Amino acid sequence: MIRIQQQRGRSAGPLHAAWAWALRVAPVLFMALLVALGAGTAYAQPVSPAEVLLFETNHLARTRAPSALFYDFRKVSNVEAGFTDTVELDLTKEDGHMHARLRFLSGERKRELPDIDDAHGNPVLLGFLEHDIAEMKRLTGGSTTYFRKRIRMALANTAQVSKQTISFQGKSYDGQAVRIQPYLDDPLHARFEAYVHKTYTFILSDAVPGGVYQIATTLGTSGPGRTINATADAAKGVQAGVQPGALADGRVAKRPEKASDPPSIEETLTLVRVTDQKR
């Protein structure tokens, strides 16, 4: 059985280094993922529809610059305290090239990520995956290489792509959802059995700035692929006096009713607003 450890540790070094190097060298985010998730320089398999949607699509093609995209990030857990925080993507353009600066979370949770001088894909995808893998390593002591490999294989071989309707700023738009369960058929599931049903959901739409509307992971019994209306939740939080980056109250930090309750962790990143930075 997996042992969820309570201590916090710094464990993102190798992944961070690979991710930073890849983003500086590769002009397309898909190539960055291959390096960051351990695919090496050769990749003989045909590219799957899920990989095309996530990492071979220019998500920023229709996004005006300069502008700032703001995402709501929230964690709900019965393992440790949950929280709400923000992710900000600042975009500027010079000589036809899109420059991207990602500010992923804040305070002690902040992740230092490299700027991208010629961005095509949305950096929040790799930012979220880096955070996710680092958290799994922290909680389990597992190998980052193992987690990278399982995510990469799931995107290439077993990802499900479906139509998805999203709601952004009071309007409905067509989108697509990519769902994977990287550990479902894992031969090593006995070592990480709490992750067997972990589900990743990526929701994309050409109609929203940045192309990426929501990224979510679910570990527990809340049901795979459940999405959270973070726009509405964030508004309620502001009305209740909960500020971004503050430790959340019982709405997002629930404790197990019984010691025997299985671990439950949900993390969700959702686009909530866009600000035009032109003066």
Side-chain angles (χ1 to χ4, degrees), residues 69-85:
L69 281 60
F70 294 89
Y71 299 82
D72 175 89
F73 187 101
R74 57 188 55 223
K75 174 179 179 176
V76 181
S77 175
N78 67 357
V79 174
E80 55 190 4
F83 63 85
T84 63
D85 210 330

Side-chain angles (χ1 to χ4, degrees), residues 63-104:
T63 304
R64 294 191 303 173
S67 62
L69 281 60
F70 294 89
Y71 299 82
D72 175 89
F73 187 101
R74 57 188 55 223
K75 174 179 179 176
V76 181
S77 175
N78 67 357
V79 174
E80 55 190 4
F83 63 85
T84 63
D85 210 330
T86 56
V87 174
E88 180 179 347
L89 177 62
D90 295 323
L91 300 172
T92 57
K93 186 172 286 189
E94 184 175 353
D95 298 328
H97 297 291
M98 186 75 80
H99 180 86
R101 171 175 291 179
L102 183 64
R103 302 172 184 176
F104 202 92

Side-chain angles (χ1 to χ4, degrees), residues 44-186:
Q45 280 186 275
V47 180
S48 72
E51 291 169 319
V52 170
L53 278 173
L54 293 176
F55 303 108
E56 283 201 335
T57 298
N58 190 345
H59 305 121
L60 305 179
R62 300 183 182 182
T63 304
R64 294 191 303 173
S67 62
L69 281 60
F70 294 89
Y71 299 82
D72 175 89
F73 187 101
R74 57 188 55 223
K75 174 179 179 176
V76 181
S77 175
N78 67 357
V79 174
E80 55 190 4
F83 63 85
T84 63
D85 210 330
T86 56
V87 174
E88 180 179 347
L89 177 62
D90 295 323
L91 300 172
T92 57
K93 186 172 286 189
E94 184 175 353
D95 298 328
H97 297 291
M98 186 75 80
H99 180 86
R101 171 175 291 179
L102 183 64
R103 302 172 184 176
F104 202 92
L105 305 182
S106 63
E108 66 177 12
R109 293 183 292 268
K110 182 179 179 180
R111 307 195 69 82
E112 297 293 340
L113 304 171
D115 290 5
I116 309 171
D117 290 324
D118 188 13
H120 295 79
N122 192 325
V124 301
L125 289 164
L126 287 183
F128 187 94
L129 287 174
E130 177 182 3
H131 164 82
D132 174 73
I133 291 172
E135 284 295 282
M136 286 192 292
K137 178 177 175 62
R138 177 179 70 85
L139 290 170
T140 69
S143 165
T144 55
T145 301
Y146 162 79
F147 293 129
R148 297 173 199 169
K149 181 179 179 181
R150 295 306 306 179
I151 292 172
R152 178 173 57 86
M153 291 176 62
L155 287 170
N157 301 320
T158 60
Q160 298 178 353
V161 180
S162 60
K163 294 181 179 180
Q164 179 83 38
T165 300
I166 67 171
S167 177
F168 179 66
Q169 296 184 337
K171 296 182 179 180
S172 295
Y173 300 99
D174 292 333
Q176 290 180 290
V178 175
R179 292 186 175 90
I180 58 172
Q181 290 184 298
Y183 314 103
L184 188 61
D185 299 316
D186 181 13

